[in-house]
Amino acid sequence: MQGAFLRDRLGRRFVSMGFTFDRGSFNATGPDGQVRTFTLGPARPGSNEYTLDRVRYRDYVVDTRTAPDAARAWFAASRPTRNIGTDYPGPAPGPVHDVALARSHDIVIHLHRVRAAELLADTTAASEQGVRRELGSSD
């Protein structure tokens, strides 16, 4: 949605970048509202991620606007695609929608395997203490 708003505002200056992966872990907010690490196995046959992972390169970037004709035609067709955002309802495979990658993204980044970032401990209390120290307050 935000990409559509940016495209309307910026026109051709806006470049949408999409991200796919075959397998791995990522952080997202679960159904209970807590951020946690989710892990997915290999992409399912017939999905965009499955085919993208069969390319001879493990990690790569494709400009769907300038790719060869055969690749552009492939990117223009809708196929099942994982839908992972800041929220992830789990369990695997999570939400899957038919997506034509070229209609959604100008550039697609595909990675074979991803790994979730290490989450920092809750820093709210530490940050508040630091601000109080800077202001000279002791409570």
Side-chain angles (χ1 to χ4, degrees), residues 8-81:
D8 288 346
R9 176 83 170 128
L10 300 173
R12 299 206 48 84
R13 294 181 297 162
F14 176 73
V15 175
S16 172
M17 296 178 68
F19 171 74
T20 63
F21 66 94
D22 179 58
R23 64 189 74 195
S25 59
F26 55 91
N27 297 319
T29 304
D32 60 357
Q34 298 298 310
V35 175
R36 68 170 47 89
T37 299
F38 293 90
T39 302
L40 297 179
R44 293 186 173 183
S47 68
N48 276 319
E49 295 90 349
Y50 179 86
T51 303
L52 290 170
D53 206 59
R54 297 308 172 270
V55 171
R56 67 178 154 156
Y57 304 106
R58 282 312 212 191
D59 302 327
Y60 56 93
V61 177
V62 176
D63 188 327
T64 63
R65 303 162 299 175
T66 60
D69 290 341
R72 282 202 326 266
W74 186 87
F75 279 107
S78 292
R79 284 176 204 80
T81 306

Side-chain angles (χ1 to χ4, degrees), residues 116-127:
E118 292 183 30
L119 297 173
L120 297 175
D122 183 4
T123 58
T124 304
S127 295

